[in-house]
Coordinates of all heavy atoms in Angstrom, one line a residue:
V1 N -11.7 6.1 -0.3 CA -10.4 5.5 -0.4 C -10.2 4.9 -1.8 O -11.0 4.2 -2.3 CB -10.2 4.3 0.6 CG1 -8.9 3.6 0.5 CG2 -10.4 4.9 2.0
T2 N -9.0 5.3 -2.4 CA -8.7 4.9 -3.8 C -7.5 4.0 -3.7 O -6.5 4.4 -3.1 CB -8.4 6.1 -4.7 OG1 -9.6 6.9 -4.7 CG2 -8.1 5.6 -6.1
P3 N -7.5 2.8 -4.4 CA -6.3 2.0 -4.4 C -5.1 2.7 -5.1 O -5.3 3.4 -6.1 CB -6.7 0.8 -5.3 CG -8.2 0.7 -5.2 CD -8.6 2.2 -5.1
A4 N -3.9 2.6 -4.6 CA -2.8 3.2 -5.1 C -1.6 2.3 -4.9 O -0.8 2.4 -4.0 CB -2.5 4.6 -4.5
K5 N -1.4 1.3 -5.8 CA -0.3 0.3 -5.6 C 1.0 0.9 -5.7 O 1.3 1.8 -6.6 CB -0.5 -0.8 -6.7 CG 0.6 -1.9 -6.6 CD 0.4 -2.9 -7.7 CE 1.4 -4.0 -7.7 NZ 1.3 -4.9 -8.8
G6 N 1.9 0.6 -4.8 CA 3.3 1.0 -4.9 C 3.8 1.8 -3.7 O 4.8 2.5 -3.7
E7 N 3.1 1.7 -2.6 CA 3.4 2.4 -1.3 C 3.4 3.9 -1.5 O 4.5 4.6 -1.4 CB 4.7 1.9 -0.9 CG 5.0 2.2 0.7 CD 6.3 1.5 1.1 OE1 6.7 0.5 0.5 OE2 6.9 2.1 2.0
P8 N 2.3 4.6 -1.6 CA 2.2 6.0 -1.8 C 2.7 6.8 -0.5 O 2.3 6.4 0.6 CB 0.7 6.3 -2.1 CG 0.0 5.2 -1.4 CD 0.9 4.0 -1.6
T9 N 3.5 7.8 -0.7 CA 4.0 8.5 0.4 C 3.7 9.9 0.5 O 3.7 10.6 1.5 CB 5.6 8.3 0.4 OG1 6.1 8.7 -0.9 CG2 6.0 6.8 0.6
G10 N 3.6 10.6 -0.7 CA 3.3 12.0 -0.8 C 2.3 12.3 -1.9 O 2.1 11.5 -2.8
A11 N 1.7 13.5 -1.9 CA 0.7 13.8 -3.0 C 0.9 15.3 -3.3 O 1.3 16.2 -2.5 CB -0.7 13.5 -2.5
A12 N 0.5 15.6 -4.5 CA 0.4 17.0 -5.0 C -0.7 17.0 -6.1 O -1.2 16.0 -6.5 CB 1.7 17.5 -5.6
V13 N -1.0 18.2 -6.6 CA -2.0 18.3 -7.6 C -1.5 19.1 -8.8 O -0.8 20.2 -8.6 CB -3.3 19.0 -7.1 CG1 -4.4 19.2 -8.2 CG2 -3.9 18.2 -5.9
L14 N -1.7 18.6 -10.0 CA -1.3 19.3 -11.2 C -2.4 19.2 -12.2 O -2.8 18.1 -12.6 CB 0.0 18.6 -11.8 CG 0.5 19.2 -13.1 CD1 0.9 20.6 -13.0 CD2 1.7 18.4 -13.7
D15 N -2.9 20.4 -12.6 CA -4.0 20.4 -13.7 C -5.2 19.5 -13.3 O -5.7 18.8 -14.1 CB -3.5 20.0 -15.0 CG -2.4 20.9 -15.5 OD1 -2.4 22.1 -15.2 OD2 -1.5 20.4 -16.3
G16 N -5.6 19.5 -12.0 CA -6.7 18.8 -11.5 C -6.5 17.3 -11.3 O -7.4 16.6 -10.9
R17 N -5.2 16.8 -11.5 CA -4.9 15.4 -11.3 C -4.0 15.3 -10.1 O -3.1 16.1 -9.9 CB -4.3 14.8 -12.6 CG -5.1 14.8 -13.8 CD -4.4 14.2 -15.0 NE -3.3 15.1 -15.3 CZ -2.4 14.8 -16.3 NH1 -2.4 13.7 -17.0 NH2 -1.4 15.7 -16.6
A18 N -4.2 14.2 -9.3 CA -3.4 14.0 -8.2 C -2.1 13.3 -8.6 O -2.2 12.3 -9.4 CB -4.1 13.1 -7.2
L19 N -1.0 13.8 -8.1 CA 0.3 13.1 -8.4 C 0.7 12.4 -7.0 O 0.6 13.0 -6.0 CB 1.4 14.1 -8.8 CG 1.1 15.0 -10.0 CD1 2.3 15.9 -10.2 CD2 0.8 14.2 -11.2
L20 N 1.2 11.2 -7.1 CA 1.5 10.4 -5.9 C 3.0 10.0 -6.1 O 3.4 9.4 -7.1 CB 0.7 9.2 -5.7 CG -0.9 9.4 -5.5 CD1 -1.6 8.1 -5.3 CD2 -1.1 10.3 -4.4
S21 N 3.8 10.3 -5.0 CA 5.1 9.6 -5.0 C 4.9 8.2 -4.5 O 4.2 7.9 -3.5 CB 6.1 10.4 -4.1 OG 5.5 10.6 -2.8
L22 N 5.5 7.2 -5.2 CA 5.4 5.8 -4.9 C 6.7 5.2 -4.5 O 7.6 5.0 -5.3 CB 4.8 5.1 -6.1 CG 3.5 5.6 -6.6 CD1 3.1 5.0 -8.0 CD2 2.3 5.4 -5.6
R23 N 6.9 5.0 -3.2 CA 8.2 4.6 -2.7 C 8.7 3.3 -3.3 O 9.8 3.1 -3.7 CB 8.2 4.6 -1.2 CG 9.5 4.2 -0.5 CD 9.4 4.3 0.9 NE 9.3 5.7 1.4 CZ 8.6 6.1 2.4 NH1 8.0 5.2 3.2 NH2 8.6 7.4 2.7
D24 N 7.7 2.3 -3.3 CA 8.1 0.9 -3.7 C 8.3 0.8 -5.2 O 9.2 0.1 -5.7 CB 7.0 0.0 -3.2 CG 7.4 -1.5 -3.5 OD1 8.5 -1.9 -3.0 OD2 6.7 -2.2 -4.2
R25 N 7.6 1.7 -6.0 CA 7.8 1.6 -7.4 C 8.8 2.6 -7.9 O 9.0 2.8 -9.1 CB 6.4 1.9 -8.1 CG 5.4 0.8 -7.7 CD 4.0 1.1 -8.3 NE 3.9 0.9 -9.7 CZ 2.8 0.9 -10.4 NH1 1.6 1.2 -9.7 NH2 2.7 0.7 -11.7
K26 N 9.4 3.4 -7.0 CA 10.4 4.3 -7.3 C 10.1 5.3 -8.4 O 10.8 5.5 -9.4 CB 11.7 3.6 -7.7 CG 12.2 2.6 -6.6 CD 13.4 1.9 -7.1 CE 13.9 0.8 -6.0 NZ 15.1 0.1 -6.5
G27 N 8.9 5.9 -8.2 CA 8.4 6.8 -9.3 C 7.2 7.6 -8.8 O 6.8 7.6 -7.7
V28 N 6.7 8.4 -9.8 CA 5.6 9.3 -9.5 C 4.4 8.8 -10.4 O 4.6 8.6 -11.6 CB 5.9 10.7 -9.8 CG1 4.7 11.6 -9.7 CG2 7.0 11.2 -8.9

């Protein structure tokens, strides 16, 4: 489990890095 502040809702991978949609922070 990794902390991810900002209410993470979705995930994808780009160039080996995880991208997280963050509902509360209104960003990626």
Side-chain angles (χ1 to χ4, degrees):
V1 178
T2 302
K5 181 182 177 182
E7 199 175 331
T9 53
V13 176
L14 176 64
D15 298 331
R17 297 177 295 175
L19 306 182
L20 299 180
S21 54
L22 303 169
R23 181 174 293 148
D24 187 55
R25 298 175 73 173
K26 302 178 183 180
V28 174

